[in-house]
Amino acid sequence: MYKKMLDITEIEKRLAEKLSLKRFSHSINVSKTAIRMARLFKESIDKAAIAGLLHDCARDIDNEEIFKKAAEFNIKIDELDKESPVLLHARVGAYIAKKEFDIKDKEILDAIAQHTVGGKNLCTLSKIIYLADLIEPSRNFKEVDKLRKLALKNLDKAMLYAYDIAIEYNLEKNKTIHPATIEGRNELLLKSKQDKNIS
């Protein structure tokens, strides 16, 4: 049975010392949004709260330091990471959550590690954190209202739409698209087509 690793108040206190005020405020918003979604989709509220709080715990680390941290944690660095070092904050963040915040729960650590690019076989918590990061109250991109409505009704449809948004954004900016995002989208797209065939 799941037990709390650290008191939420203690996590917030430690996190506030690591992050800028803006990033900390975002993390609080993601945590609150994740709690709301966890209630809707019968997920652990404690796990959602903690994963939401800690998802960006490595986000304020500069590029030089993030590469050092990745090496320290034996995280494989590929060409996409070199092109866009910000991608590393999710995987580095999972290690920081484990080492500095004593988080041992695999679902929480996976949700933190997967919240930037998504991927295949995401658990419910990972989907919640990925989406909560995008739809928390301070977000204001043009598709956010539609994404918010979807995210409170159907996680897979919301994830598919979120992947589409991310891919379209990267195409417009002439940026690379992470393979995990494509794999995650393909998986959900095939599943949705199979579900339609069954029904």
Side-chain angles (χ1 to χ4, degrees):
M1 188 166 175
Y2 174 71
K3 295 179 181 178
K4 287 184 183 179
M5 281 48 147
L6 274 176
D7 181 82
I8 286 284
T9 306
E10 180 63 25
I11 291 174
E12 286 185 13
K13 182 181 173 185
R14 291 192 195 182
L15 196 62
E17 295 169 356
K18 291 183 72 69
L19 300 180
S20 67
L21 185 59
K22 183 178 179 182
R23 188 72 54 193
F24 180 68
S25 176
H26 164 70
S27 298
I28 294 291
N29 283 341
V30 172
S31 183
K32 288 178 179 177
T33 304
I35 288 169
R36 182 184 179 195
M37 294 175 71
R39 288 196 177 103
L40 282 173
F41 296 105
K42 312 295 187 220
E43 183 54 78
S44 165
I45 290 169
D46 286 341
K47 288 187 183 186
I50 292 168
L53 275 176
L54 292 176
H55 80 287
D56 266 356
C57 64
R59 185 64 178 84
D60 284 345
I61 299 173
D62 65 37
N63 289 351
E64 184 180 351
E65 185 65 20
I66 204 88
F67 283 118
K68 286 181 183 176
K69 289 282 187 188
E72 178 187 336
F73 299 139
N74 293 314
I75 295 171
K76 184 181 176 184
I77 298 170
D78 60 24
E79 291 304 312
L80 293 180
D81 296 320
K82 291 175 185 174
E83 181 199 55
S84 186
V86 70
L87 293 175
L88 283 169
H89 86 271
R91 284 170 287 157
V92 169
Y95 278 91
I96 288 174
K98 185 176 183 179
K99 290 182 176 293
E100 296 184 20
F101 292 86
D102 199 33
I103 304 300
K104 297 181 175 70
D105 186 276
K106 185 178 184 302
E107 285 191 345
I108 293 175
L109 297 174
D110 284 348
I112 294 169
Q114 296 164 336
H115 84 269
T116 52
V117 295
K120 289 176 67 176
N121 304 315
L122 297 188
C123 70
T124 299
L125 183 64
S126 287
K127 292 173 184 176
I128 285 172
I129 299 305
Y130 184 97
L131 292 167
D133 185 27
L134 293 172
I135 67 168
E136 60 96 343
S138 72
R139 298 293 197 188
N140 62 1
F141 54 94
K142 66 178 180 179
E143 304 93 344
V144 73
D145 288 336
K146 181 178 177 180
L147 185 58
R148 283 185 179 123
K149 288 174 185 175
L150 278 174
L152 298 178
K153 290 180 181 177
N154 186 302
L155 287 178
D156 284 352
K157 286 182 180 178
M159 286 295 299
L160 197 52
Y161 186 52
Y163 285 145
D164 287 348
I165 293 168
I167 290 168
E168 185 177 343
Y169 174 84
N170 285 328
L171 287 172
E172 286 177 358
K173 300 289 183 181
N174 197 30
K175 288 185 167 186
T176 52
I177 299 167
H178 201 282
T181 303
I182 296 169
E183 288 172 1
R185 182 182 184 274
N186 286 346
E187 176 192 47
L188 292 176
L189 196 59
L190 290 171
K191 181 178 179 288
S192 69
K193 289 179 178 178
Q194 288 168 357
D195 290 345
K196 284 178 185 175
N197 289 336
I198 291 170
S199 59

